[in-house]
Amino acid sequence: MYRVAGSHLRSLKGPAASVGLYIDCGSVYESPSSSGASHLLERMAFRSTTNRSHLRLVREVEAIGGNVSASASREQMSYTYDALKSYAPEMVEVLLDSVRNPAFLEWEVKEQLQKIKSEISEISDNPQGLLLEALHSAGYSGALAKPLMATESAINRLDISTLEEFIHENYTAPRMVLAASGVEHDELVSIAEPLLSDLPAVKRHEEPKSVYVGGDYRCQADSPTTHIALAFEVPGGWRQEKTAMIVTVLQSPDFASMAVDLAAGELLEVATPGKVTQEQLDRAKEATKAAVLMNLESRIVASEDIGSQVLTYGERKPIEHFMRAVEETTLNDISSVAKKIISSPLTLASWGDVIHVPSYESVSRKFHAK
């Protein structure tokens, strides 16, 4: 059964709304034959459907001053529509039509594949994104090691039938959440029910398995800066899957070794009882609470937060729950969790003048020395 989650009455201030469809799907669900499908589906979002052309869709969105977007990640796909809340019925209809009834016209698919090719050729302009991909491929075995960005070989293989099959297998009712910020829950249910009631109630697929193993990735590049990322396993992370804490340092090549020492020193200090003071912790708590509350002022972020929570926890937890969790964090919590994190195998990724980056073994010893 699909799920719908709208806003509480007390959070309906303001004229705008953000509606999103969030799907428990991403590159972790790809097979060798469908590799790159999530990336291409992100590009194909809000194109022609079986009910309207791309031009008509764009004109309908522009007519109400709206904005649409889509995003693919390893474990979730999101499609969002932002506009004035008085247009909520139109927003939901266009959103669901775009996701449920894509036409996948051959010329549109080819056009987006060409754009992905250009994106791949420009990956060196985005070393942070490249390192995030590298941390997953080097640090994991299994589903999370699969690339989120389509590869050259995947581009040559992807076609319309692959996309249609991937959607048929993964865009199912139990894995969908329609969420909105700025639209009252009962109103959202009444709008969505006629448009989603025919979704087949299929059994949910078993989630693909991943094992965190740690590893090393290095890419030599002609660049004035060297980018370094350190990652570890966070026990009991998001959705009980393995997640990573990443420390990225941008430094000139001559200081790459110093940058690693700095990152290692910071992590080791946090993991050592007594090194973090109560004053530092209280300051961090206040900064965290302020960041969360300010982010949720955005309708788009609030909608995504609702959808992600329902996909992750099966319910939307009130903001007070998270504020209380932050406030109850102790110095012992900080040091014990940090100690568990850095006791896991290291994943090290670097891009640039990697000759100056210390060896994997020497960096790992900084954390695991007895």
Side-chain angles (χ1 to χ4, degrees), residues 113-318:
L113 284 171
Q114 282 300 124
K115 289 184 177 180
I116 291 177
K117 279 187 177 181
S118 299
E119 190 178 335
I120 292 173
S121 67
E122 297 168 0
I123 187 63
S124 60
D125 295 333
N126 180 22
Q128 289 94 337
L130 186 150
L131 288 189
L132 186 59
E133 283 286 286
L135 287 174
H136 283 84
S137 63
Y140 285 98
S141 171
L144 283 170
K146 297 175 182 177
L148 176 59
M149 177 174 283
T151 61
E152 285 279 3
S153 59
I155 291 173
N156 296 329
R157 185 179 56 251
L158 285 169
D159 56 22
I160 294 170
S161 62
T162 303
L163 295 182
E164 290 174 340
E165 184 178 347
F166 188 77
I167 281 185
H168 176 74
E169 290 179 356
N170 295 287
Y171 283 32
T172 57
R175 293 163 65 177
M176 285 186 178
V177 174
L178 180 69
S181 172
V183 181
E184 199 272 322
H185 177 76
D186 290 341
E187 179 187 358
L188 185 63
V189 171
S190 66
I191 295 170
E193 194 167 9
L195 301 170
L196 291 172
S197 58
D198 62 329
L199 273 172
V202 299
K203 185 179 179 181
R204 186 189 180 96
H205 284 197
E206 184 177 345
E207 190 167 320
K209 303 298 182 185
S210 301
V211 178
Y212 179 77
V213 293
D216 187 20
Y217 171 90
R218 292 163 189 257
C219 181
Q220 180 69 30
D222 183 14
S223 171
T225 58
T226 298
H227 300 250
I228 305 168
L230 308 179
F232 300 89
E233 177 186 25
V234 178
W238 182 68
R239 297 189 65 195
Q240 301 306 312
E241 288 289 328
K242 309 305 180 184
T243 57
M245 181 179 77
I246 304 169
V247 178
T248 304
V249 182
L250 304 181
Q251 280 282 3
S252 66
D254 292 338
F255 295 99
S257 179
M258 291 173 59
V260 172
D261 287 341
L262 178 62
E266 291 285 338
L267 289 170
L268 288 168
E269 190 158 297
V270 173
T272 304
K275 288 291 187 179
V276 177
T277 67
Q278 187 63 49
E279 181 183 359
Q280 289 173 319
L281 177 58
D282 290 342
R283 192 162 58 240
K285 285 181 181 180
E286 293 307 308
T288 300
K289 290 188 286 187
V292 170
L293 293 172
M294 286 189 286
N295 279 334
L296 290 177
E297 288 294 312
S298 163
R299 296 280 186 200
I300 301 172
V301 174
S303 173
E304 183 178 357
D305 179 65
I306 296 170
S308 295
Q309 281 196 51
V310 175
L311 280 180
T312 304
Y313 308 116
E315 61 176 328
R316 184 195 181 187
K317 299 185 179 183

Side-chain angles (χ1 to χ4, degrees), residues 312-362:
T312 304
Y313 308 116
E315 61 176 328
R316 184 195 181 187
K317 299 185 179 183
I319 186 59
E320 293 79 12
H321 169 84
F322 296 100
M323 294 295 102
R324 188 164 56 251
V326 171
E327 195 55 47
E328 292 174 354
T329 301
T330 66
L331 289 170
N332 184 61
D333 293 332
I334 293 294
S335 60
S336 66
V337 169
K339 189 178 295 183
K340 288 178 182 176
I341 289 171
I342 64 174
S343 67
S344 69
L346 166 72
T347 300
L348 174 63
S350 54
W351 180 94
D353 190 356
V354 297
I355 295 172
H356 293 270
V357 177
S359 70
Y360 176 86
E361 291 75 16
S362 66

